[in-house]
Structures are given as C-alpha cells and as structure tokens.
Amino acid sequence: MTDLRPLVGVIDDDAPALKAISRLLRVCGYDVCAFSSAQQFLDQGSAIDQRLNCLVVDVHMPGRSGLELTDDLDLADRAVPIVLVTGAADAKLCSRAFARGAVALLQKPFTKVELLDAVGRARDHAKTRAQA
Amino acid sequence: MRAPTGTAPQPNSPRASSVEPARQLAELHNIYATAPVGLCCIDTGLRYMSINERLAALNGLPVAAHIGRTLREIVPGIADLIEPVYRRVFETGEPVFDAELEGRTAAAPEVDRAWMCTYSPLRDARGRVMAVNTVVQDVTEWKAHERELRAVNESLRQRDEFLHIVADRLPKAMLFRVVHEPDGGFRFTYASEGAEEVAGLTIDTILREPTAVTDLIVPEDRPRFFDAMTHSIETLSPFDVVCRLRWRDGTLHWGHFRSAVRPMPSGGAICEGILLNVTSHRRAVEELVETQARNQAILSGLPDMMFVLGTDGTYLDVHVSDAQRLLMPPDQFLGKNMAEVMPPDLARQFESCFERVRKDGSASADYALMLHGERRHFEARMVPCGTDQILSIVRDVTESKRAQHEVQHSRLELAHISRVTVLGEITASIAHELNQPLTAILSNAQAAQHVIAAGRDLGEVGDMLSDIVEADQRAGDVIRRLRTWLSRDQFLPQRLNVNQLILDVEPLIRSELIMRHVRLTLDLDVAVPDVTADRVQLQQVILNLALNGIDAMQELPFGERQLTIRTLVSGNEVQCAVRDRGTGIHPDHMDRLFDAFFSTKPTGLGIGLRICSSIMSAHRGSIWAVNNPEGGATFSFKLPAADGRA
C-alpha cells in the first residue's frame, strides 16, 4: 500500500517552512523526504531518485540556490521535475526558472491548491518523460 | 680813621694858650668828648694821657680813673694784645690803621667784644714820637652782623647749590628762567640739566638761542602756547600749557610748561618754572582713553549683556544693546538686588553661582525667562570683577538653541529618510523574511484543515497549531523590527553592546545575504566594552556598511562573496570593521566617500555614508574607509567606551 504513495523531495533552508510544506504534502497523500540544503540533497538524495516524483525547492538558500541545483542535476543527469518556491519573486527570476526547465515557480506563501497543482503537474511531467 | 696830620690837638693838654687856639681847643675838646668813637692818648710809658667818655665807658671806668694809669692796669684783659702794637708805633713812628682787636674789658667782663683801632703817632717839635693817639670803634655788633650775614650767605649758597643739584637731577624735567623784555623779546637765562630729556637740546643751545625751545612746538599748538604766554605776562598769572614738541631729531614729544611770572623793575617780566616731558604719561592717557573707547565699542557692539553686581547681588552696572531682552529698562536695575528683579527660582540659582564664583573663580548658569510673552533661553557666565564685584555676561541663546534643535531634527529626519531608502533597496529581502513564516503558517493551517476535513487523527493538529503560533511570532518580530527601523523617535542614547547590536542587525540582512549569495562571517571580540549610543542609528550605520559591502561584491563569482564584520577593543574605544572583497574604492573617490549626494551606485542617493558619518559625529565617534591589500574595502567606525566599563 505504502509503495503506492508518490514521493516528493522538499528542500528549504528555513526549518519551520520545510516542516510545514512537508507536513502539508504528507497529509495530502505524499511521502516526503525533507532536506535543509541543496548540498544535502545532492549528497544523500540519489538513493531515492528512482522513486522521486518531484522536487519542491526554495530558490533562495545559503550555499547552492534552487536554480543552481537544477543545473547540478542536469549535469548529473538526474532528471527530476522541479517546482521552485520563492519568498521574493520577480520577473527575471521567473524567466530564469522556466529556462532551466522548472515545472512551476510558486510564490511564498502559496496555498494547498497551488502546491498540489504544481506537484501534480510535475508528476505528469515525470510520467511523460518516462514514457518518452 | 686816619690820624690827623701835623700837630695833633691835645684835648686834655693844658698847654693851649691864645684865645683863638683856646676856642678851637674848646671845640676840639667838645668833639673829643662827644665823638661817636672812643679816643685816647697813650704816652711812652703806656699810660693814659687822655681818654674820652665813650672809650672810658667801653673800658668800664670813669675818665678820671684812667689818667696816668697804665694799659695793664685799666684793660688787663687785652693788655697783652695792645702793648706790642703801641711799642711798635713808638719804635717805628708808623701808624697802624684799622687793627682789629677782640677781648673783654671791665665794662662787660663776661662778654667778648670787638674793636677796630687806629694807632697814630704824635710827635714833639723834634719829630720824636711822644705819644700815640688811638681811635677805638666798638665793632662788636657790626662783627656779629657780619657773621650773621656770612652765615646767611653760606646758607643761601648751600640752598642755591641744593636747588641746582635737584634741578639738574629732576627726571624728565627742566627748570628754567626766561627773561621777557618789554619789547616782547625773551631769552632763557637759566636751564637745568633736564634740557636733553625735555627738549633734546643742550643747556648751552637753550641759553644761546632764545627760541630754541619754542621753535620745537608743533605749528598747531603754537597759537595756544603764545596766547597763554602773553596772557600770563600781562596779568602776571601762572602759566600752565601742555603742547607737542617736535624735537630736532624728528621725534614727537609732549611738553608741560608750568611757571610763575614776576615783573622786573626795568619793565618786562621774569618767568621761572619747569618744563616736564609728559610723553609717556600722555601716551598712557591716550591709550587709556583709547582702551576705554574700545571697551565701550565692544560693549555696545556685543550681543551679550553685561551686568556688574556686588557680591550681595546688587546691580551696579548694566550694559545691553537690546533692552527688549531685559526684564525691565536697564537703568531700573541699578541699585536693586537681583532677588527683587528675578523670579525666586532664578535668584536662588544665581546666588549659588555667586557662591561658586567665590570658591572656584567662575560659574555659569543656563536658564529661561518669559519675556514679552515668549520663552527665551540664556546662558550666563560669572567671573569676579575686582574684590567685591561679580561680572555676569549673559547671552541670549534662544536662536542658537532653536537652530541646534533644527539641525538635530534635520539629522533625525535625514537618518529616517535614509532608513526608508535602505528599506526600499532591500524590499525583496524583507518580503522573503516575512514570506517564510507566512508559508509555514499557511501550509500548517491548510494541513490542519485537510486533516480535520478528512476526519482523520486530530493529534497532529495540535502540533500544527503550535507551529503556526511560532511562525506568527517570527513574522511579528520582523514587523516589529521594521517598525523600529522606520520610527522617527528622538535621538535616545543608551548603553549598548556593539556585538549584540550586530546580532540584532543580522536578521535584517539575512535574506539579502542569501539572495545575493554573500557569506557573512562575524568575528566579534567578547571583550568590547559598552558604548553609549542611539540603538536605531547605530544599527543603521552597521546595516548601511554591510549593504554597501554586499553591493560591492555583485560582480564576484558566488563563492567569493565574503563579508566579515569584526569588533575589537582599541584603547578606550570600541571599533567595528566591515570588510568586503569587492572592487575597492577608487582613489579619486576616497576623499568624497562621506560627502552628501556622492554615490558610485547607479541608483544611489548618496546619503547612506553621509548619514553614517553624521551619526558618528553625533556619537563623538569617527568613521573611515581603507582598501584592503588583498582587494575590497574595509569600512570602520569607532566609538568611545561608555564610562566605567561594565
């Protein structure tokens, strides 16, 4: 049964936000792996890559930012659909996010519907890619 | 008295016979008896052959008692003196004229007397000296007068000498005598040694050239001098004139002539007096007058008010250029005590100031007065004036207080504008800082709603609500910090620790650091003493410097963007250095960094560093910048440690 639950990775340097986003996804039927930095995911996340349906990543983090992470994953050929999350969005950031292949860019604070919609689209994206 | 030549009359001789000769003899006899001189005739045996009444009286014996008696018998006191004279006349036949003789006779045995004697030989038919006729004049009185006269002369001579000595030694003064002829001409007949000091002339010149002195008088003063001189001579009144003398060497001096005038029997007048060189005195007077005039000008030109008070608080003198700034017209102060004039509180304040003046030599007071319906501020400084007076210098500082207040207000206003501006520059960071807790709140709330709607285990909802509360508090902190940051509070210095202040600023720039990929290192010396500063303003300085550092590193690769804030103790000061690895400061800009409206940023207003600098001045601190040897710049400020490091 549990195997049927989709897995989402969440990366945010802000602990309360990380905890809350993970909790929301979990109660909505997702399994969640939480990471407090991009580096932590790069180091530990490869093990779950195969099961990972989507990554929800904060753009502004100390060290590697969310945008940089997309580049890193591309380089590592770890194709995971990414939902970027930002506390301070602007048009420039938006275009950069989509240029890097992000599925969605969410503006904090986002609603449950926005989050589930973005994660859902990411899952579809992943399926499409897998079938291709 | 010369002896008569030829046959001498023999008054006492019985040998006269014929009638004519008898009459002559009687006349002679009469003369002999009544002559105002003493007469006698002495024979070869030095006996009195005859003597008149006067001489007998001088000898102190009757005429009859003399006849036939020797000199030694009659005048033993002087016999030794006169016997040799008689003998000589008998021997030589030569008369002795005007021989002086002093001694005592029976007439006045206690008194020395003096006589003038003439001894004339009387010869017989054969030419032999048979007797000596003697004329004696009592010159005792005359001698005494002569001695007196000599003494008077001597005393006069000494006085004259004294006068000359004194006259010649008078400092900067010359005694003179001028003879004014009836025809108007005059000449100096006497001048003392002071001539050089009063006129720059020798005595000789003054005596030789009649107008040598008066020629020195400057043309402007001449009419006055000569008018006074003419008047003095005509009225025989004292002469007293001060005038300027241009010496022959060109220097200008002041001479003071004073003299008395007395008429000469021949007409004209003699003018005797003194000429004083009063140049230095005159200069002192001129300087004094000038100083007084200057003081008066200063007093009337000064905006300050001056009060001279007795130590008991009585007003003695008041100088004020604008009576509007006084409680009453200036002259009404005089004679009143300050307790009658000032409000009671102020009078007490002044009394304690007077105490301090007595003790410490000065005191000052700040106070305000209601004048013409307006509150005005004053500063009084008090110092002793003489032994029993106090000078109080009062300045109206209302305007300067107002200006000071305005400056401070503008500075606060500008600082506020600067903070608003800074906030505008970091809106994205602020939004980020607020959006994080808002995200946590919204996600937790919707997760709770979901759980409740699904009717699942509500146990976790409690945790969610706790997290919401926590996140809300965090958002509240951000808002509070912003409110403080944007407040227009008064300048409020308090005791602060710079390290703590840096830790307080850090949340404000946290998001900025993340978004700009800058790593912040804090290197805080725990030993830094507290400082006295306004919290918000000091935060503003730290924040401005940090944001400048962040801006300076925009062109660097992410990994090299390193900002360090360091604190250290420097003597009795706390120093804080904000170091970046950016582009550094162009040497041409170094001098203008802290000027207003100077900015190298395309969107900069150029008030950030200016504000930092003025905040530092207001805190008795300083701010400066240097380029780092390895690149980038370091901006530092330092502040004096608060009193009594705690």
Coordinates of all heavy atoms in Angstrom, one line a residue, chain B residues 251-303:
Chain B
T251 N 61.5 113.3 16.4 CA 60.5 112.5 17.3 C 59.6 113.5 17.9 O 59.9 114.7 18.1 CB 61.3 111.7 18.4 OG1 62.1 112.7 19.1 CG2 62.1 110.7 17.8
L252 N 58.4 113.0 18.2 CA 57.3 113.8 18.8 C 57.2 113.6 20.3 O 57.2 112.4 20.7 CB 56.0 113.5 18.1 CG 54.9 114.5 18.4 CD1 55.2 115.9 17.8 CD2 53.5 114.0 17.9
H253 N 57.2 114.7 21.0 CA 57.1 114.5 22.5 C 56.0 115.5 23.0 O 55.6 116.4 22.3 CB 58.4 114.9 23.1 CG 59.5 114.0 22.7 ND1 60.0 112.9 23.5 CD2 60.2 113.9 21.6 CE1 60.9 112.3 22.8 NE2 61.1 112.9 21.7
W254 N 55.6 115.3 24.2 CA 54.7 116.2 24.9 C 55.4 116.9 26.0 O 56.1 116.3 26.8 CB 53.5 115.4 25.5 CG 52.5 114.9 24.5 CD1 52.6 113.7 23.8 CD2 51.3 115.6 24.0 NE1 51.5 113.7 22.9 CE2 50.7 114.8 23.1 CE3 50.7 116.8 24.4 CZ2 49.5 115.1 22.5 CZ3 49.6 117.2 23.8 CH2 49.0 116.3 22.8
G255 N 55.3 118.2 26.0 CA 55.9 119.1 27.0 C 54.8 119.8 27.8 O 53.8 120.2 27.3
H256 N 55.1 119.8 29.1 CA 54.2 120.5 30.0 C 54.9 121.7 30.7 O 55.9 121.5 31.4 CB 53.7 119.5 31.1 CG 52.6 120.1 31.9 ND1 51.9 119.4 32.9 CD2 52.1 121.4 32.0 CE1 51.0 120.2 33.5 NE2 51.1 121.4 33.0
F257 N 54.6 122.9 30.3 CA 55.2 124.1 30.8 C 54.4 124.6 32.0 O 53.2 124.8 31.9 CB 55.2 125.2 29.8 CG 56.1 124.9 28.6 CD1 55.7 124.2 27.5 CD2 57.4 125.4 28.5 CE1 56.5 123.9 26.4 CE2 58.2 125.2 27.4 CZ 57.8 124.4 26.4
R258 N 55.1 124.8 33.1 CA 54.4 125.5 34.2 C 55.4 126.5 34.8 O 56.5 126.2 35.1 CB 54.1 124.5 35.4 CG 53.1 123.4 34.9 CD 52.7 122.6 36.1 NE 51.7 123.2 36.9 CZ 50.9 122.6 37.7 NH1 51.1 121.3 38.0 NH2 49.9 123.2 38.4
S259 N 54.9 127.7 35.0 CA 55.8 128.7 35.5 C 55.0 129.8 36.2 O 53.8 130.0 36.1 CB 56.7 129.3 34.4 OG 55.9 129.9 33.4
A260 N 55.8 130.5 37.1 CA 55.3 131.7 37.7 C 55.9 132.9 37.1 O 57.0 132.8 36.6 CB 55.7 131.7 39.2
V261 N 55.3 134.0 37.1 CA 55.8 135.3 36.5 C 55.9 136.4 37.5 O 55.0 136.5 38.4 CB 54.8 135.7 35.4 CG1 55.4 136.9 34.7 CG2 54.5 134.6 34.4
R262 N 57.0 137.1 37.5 CA 57.1 138.3 38.4 C 57.7 139.4 37.5 O 58.5 139.1 36.6 CB 58.0 138.0 39.6 CG 59.4 137.5 39.3 CD 60.0 137.0 40.6 NE 61.2 136.2 40.3 CZ 62.4 136.8 40.2 NH1 62.6 138.1 40.4 NH2 63.5 136.0 39.9
P263 N 57.3 140.6 37.8 CA 57.7 141.7 37.0 C 59.1 142.1 37.3 O 59.6 141.9 38.4 CB 56.7 142.8 37.4 CG 56.3 142.5 38.8 CD 56.4 141.0 38.9
M264 N 59.8 142.7 36.3 CA 61.1 143.2 36.6 C 61.0 144.7 36.8 O 60.1 145.3 36.2 CB 62.0 143.0 35.3 CG 62.5 141.5 35.2 SD 63.8 141.4 34.0 CE 63.0 141.8 32.5
P265 N 61.8 145.3 37.7 CA 61.7 146.7 37.9 C 61.9 147.5 36.6 O 61.3 148.5 36.4 CB 62.9 147.0 38.9 CG 63.4 145.6 39.4 CD 62.9 144.6 38.4
S266 N 62.7 147.0 35.7 CA 63.0 147.7 34.5 C 61.9 147.5 33.4 O 62.1 147.9 32.3 CB 64.3 147.2 33.9 OG 64.2 145.8 33.7
G267 N 60.8 146.9 33.8 CA 59.8 146.6 32.8 C 60.1 145.1 32.4 O 61.1 144.6 32.7
G268 N 59.1 144.5 31.6 CA 59.3 143.1 31.3 C 59.0 142.2 32.5 O 58.5 142.7 33.5
A269 N 59.3 141.0 32.3 CA 58.9 140.0 33.4 C 59.9 138.9 33.4 O 60.6 138.6 32.4 CB 57.5 139.5 33.2
I270 N 60.0 138.3 34.6 CA 60.8 137.0 34.7 C 59.9 135.9 34.9 O 58.9 135.9 35.7 CB 61.8 137.2 35.8 CG1 62.9 138.2 35.5 CG2 62.4 135.8 36.1 CD1 63.9 138.4 36.6
C271 N 60.1 134.9 34.1 CA 59.2 133.7 34.1 C 60.1 132.6 34.6 O 61.1 132.2 33.9 CB 58.8 133.6 32.7 SG 57.4 132.5 32.5
E272 N 59.7 132.0 35.7 CA 60.5 130.9 36.3 C 59.6 129.7 36.5 O 58.5 129.8 37.0 CB 61.1 131.3 37.6 CG 62.3 132.2 37.5 CD 62.5 133.0 38.8 OE1 61.5 133.4 39.4 OE2 63.7 133.2 39.1
G273 N 60.1 128.5 36.0 CA 59.2 127.4 36.2 C 59.9 126.1 35.7 O 61.1 126.0 35.7
I274 N 59.1 125.2 35.2 CA 59.5 123.9 34.9 C 58.9 123.4 33.6 O 57.8 123.8 33.3 CB 59.2 122.9 36.1 CG1 59.8 121.5 35.9 CG2 57.7 122.8 36.3 CD1 59.8 120.7 37.2
L275 N 59.7 122.7 32.9 CA 59.2 122.0 31.7 C 59.3 120.5 31.9 O 60.4 120.0 32.1 CB 60.0 122.5 30.4 CG 59.7 121.7 29.1 CD1 58.2 121.8 28.7 CD2 60.6 122.2 28.0
L276 N 58.2 119.9 31.8 CA 58.1 118.4 32.0 C 57.9 117.7 30.7 O 57.1 118.1 29.9 CB 57.0 118.1 33.0 CG 57.0 118.6 34.4 CD1 55.6 118.6 35.0 CD2 58.0 117.8 35.2
N277 N 58.6 116.6 30.6 CA 58.4 115.7 29.4 C 57.3 114.7 29.8 O 57.5 113.8 30.6 CB 59.6 114.9 29.0 CG 59.4 114.1 27.7 OD1 58.3 113.8 27.4 ND2 60.5 113.8 27.1
V278 N 56.1 114.9 29.3 CA 54.9 114.1 29.8 C 54.5 113.2 28.7 O 53.3 112.7 28.7 CB 53.7 115.0 30.2 CG1 54.1 115.8 31.5 CG2 53.3 116.0 29.1
T279 N 55.4 112.8 27.8 CA 55.1 112.0 26.7 C 54.5 110.6 27.1 O 53.4 110.2 26.7 CB 56.3 111.7 25.8 OG1 56.9 113.0 25.5 CG2 56.0 111.0 24.5
S280 N 55.3 110.0 28.0 CA 54.8 108.6 28.4 C 53.5 108.7 29.1 O 52.6 107.9 28.9 CB 55.9 107.9 29.2 OG 56.2 108.7 30.3
H281 N 53.4 109.7 30.0 CA 52.1 109.9 30.7 C 51.0 110.1 29.7 O 49.9 109.5 29.8 CB 52.3 111.1 31.6 CG 51.0 111.5 32.3 ND1 50.4 110.8 33.3 CD2 50.2 112.6 32.0 CE1 49.3 111.5 33.6 NE2 49.2 112.5 32.9
R282 N 51.3 111.0 28.8 CA 50.3 111.4 27.7 C 49.9 110.1 26.9 O 48.7 109.9 26.7 CB 51.0 112.4 26.8 CG 50.1 113.2 26.0 CD 49.3 114.2 26.9 NE 48.1 114.6 26.1 CZ 47.3 115.6 26.5 NH1 47.6 116.3 27.6 NH2 46.3 115.9 25.8
R283 N 50.9 109.3 26.6 CA 50.6 108.1 25.8 C 49.7 107.2 26.6 O 48.8 106.6 26.1 CB 51.9 107.4 25.4 CG 52.7 108.2 24.4 CD 53.4 107.3 23.4 NE 54.0 108.1 22.4 CZ 55.3 108.4 22.4 NH1 56.1 107.7 23.2 NH2 55.9 109.2 21.5
A284 N 50.1 107.1 27.9 CA 49.3 106.2 28.8 C 47.9 106.7 28.8 O 46.9 105.9 28.8 CB 49.9 106.2 30.2
V285 N 47.7 108.0 28.9 CA 46.4 108.6 29.0 C 45.7 108.3 27.7 O 44.5 107.9 27.7 CB 46.5 110.1 29.3 CG1 45.1 110.7 29.0 CG2 46.9 110.4 30.7
E286 N 46.4 108.5 26.6 CA 45.8 108.3 25.3 C 45.4 106.8 25.1 O 44.3 106.5 24.6 CB 46.8 108.6 24.1 CG 46.7 110.1 23.8 CD 47.8 110.5 22.8 OE1 48.6 109.6 22.4 OE2 48.0 111.7 22.5
E287 N 46.3 105.9 25.6 CA 46.0 104.5 25.5 C 44.8 104.2 26.3 O 43.9 103.4 26.0 CB 47.2 103.7 25.9 CG 48.1 103.4 24.8 CD 49.4 102.9 25.2 OE1 49.5 102.2 26.3 OE2 50.4 103.1 24.5
L288 N 44.7 104.8 27.5 CA 43.6 104.5 28.4 C 42.3 105.0 27.8 O 41.3 104.3 27.8 CB 43.8 105.3 29.7 CG 42.9 104.9 30.9 CD1 43.1 103.5 31.3 CD2 43.1 105.9 32.1
V289 N 42.4 106.2 27.2 CA 41.2 106.7 26.6 C 40.7 105.8 25.4 O 39.6 105.5 25.3 CB 41.4 108.2 26.0 CG1 40.3 108.6 25.1 CG2 41.6 109.1 27.2
E290 N 41.8 105.4 24.7 CA 41.5 104.5 23.5 C 40.9 103.2 24.0 O 40.0 102.7 23.5 CB 42.8 104.2 22.8 CG 42.7 103.9 21.4 CD 44.1 103.8 20.7 OE1 44.7 104.9 20.6 OE2 44.5 102.8 20.4
T291 N 41.6 102.6 25.1 CA 41.1 101.4 25.6 C 39.6 101.5 26.1 O 38.8 100.6 25.8 CB 42.0 100.9 26.8 OG1 43.3 100.9 26.3 CG2 41.6 99.6 27.3
Q292 N 39.4 102.6 26.8 CA 38.0 102.8 27.3 C 37.0 102.9 26.1 O 35.9 102.3 26.1 CB 37.9 104.1 28.1 CG 38.4 103.8 29.6 CD 38.5 105.0 30.4 OE1 38.5 106.1 29.9 NE2 38.5 104.9 31.7
A293 N 37.5 103.7 25.1 CA 36.6 103.8 23.9 C 36.4 102.5 23.3 O 35.2 102.1 22.9 CB 37.2 104.8 22.9
R294 N 37.4 101.7 23.2 CA 37.3 100.4 22.6 C 36.4 99.5 23.4 O 35.5 98.8 22.9 CB 38.7 99.7 22.4 CG 38.7 98.6 21.5 CD 40.2 98.2 21.1 NE 41.0 98.1 22.3 CZ 42.2 98.5 22.4 NH1 42.8 99.1 21.3 NH2 42.9 98.4 23.5
N295 N 36.6 99.5 24.7 CA 35.8 98.7 25.6 C 34.3 99.1 25.4 O 33.5 98.2 25.4 CB 36.2 98.8 27.0 CG 37.5 98.1 27.3 OD1 38.0 97.4 26.5 ND2 38.1 98.4 28.5
Q296 N 34.1 100.4 25.3 CA 32.7 100.9 25.2 C 32.2 100.4 23.8 O 31.0 99.9 23.8 CB 32.7 102.4 25.2 CG 31.4 103.0 25.5 CD 30.7 102.4 26.7 OE1 31.3 102.3 27.8 NE2 29.4 102.0 26.6
A297 N 33.0 100.4 22.8 CA 32.6 100.0 21.5 C 32.2 98.5 21.5 O 31.2 98.0 21.0 CB 33.6 100.3 20.4
I298 N 33.1 97.7 22.2 CA 32.9 96.3 22.3 C 31.6 96.0 23.0 O 30.8 95.2 22.6 CB 34.1 95.6 23.0 CG1 35.4 95.6 22.1 CG2 33.8 94.2 23.4 CD1 36.6 95.2 22.8
L299 N 31.5 96.7 24.1 CA 30.3 96.5 25.0 C 29.0 96.8 24.2 O 28.0 96.0 24.2 CB 30.3 97.4 26.2 CG 31.2 96.9 27.3 CD1 31.1 97.9 28.5 CD2 30.7 95.5 27.8
S300 N 29.0 97.9 23.4 CA 27.8 98.3 22.7 C 27.6 97.4 21.5 O 26.5 97.2 21.0 CB 27.8 99.7 22.3 OG 29.0 100.0 21.6
G301 N 28.7 96.8 20.9 CA 28.6 96.0 19.8 C 28.3 94.6 20.1 O 27.8 93.8 19.2
L302 N 28.6 94.1 21.3 CA 28.4 92.7 21.6 C 27.0 92.4 21.8 O 26.2 93.2 22.3 CB 29.1 92.5 23.0 CG 30.5 92.0 23.0 CD1 31.0 91.7 24.4 CD2 30.7 90.8 22.1
P303 N 26.6 91.2 21.3 CA 25.2 90.8 21.5 C 25.0 90.4 23.0 O 23.9 90.3 23.5 CB 25.1 89.6 20.6 CG 26.4 89.0 20.5 CD 27.4 90.2 20.6

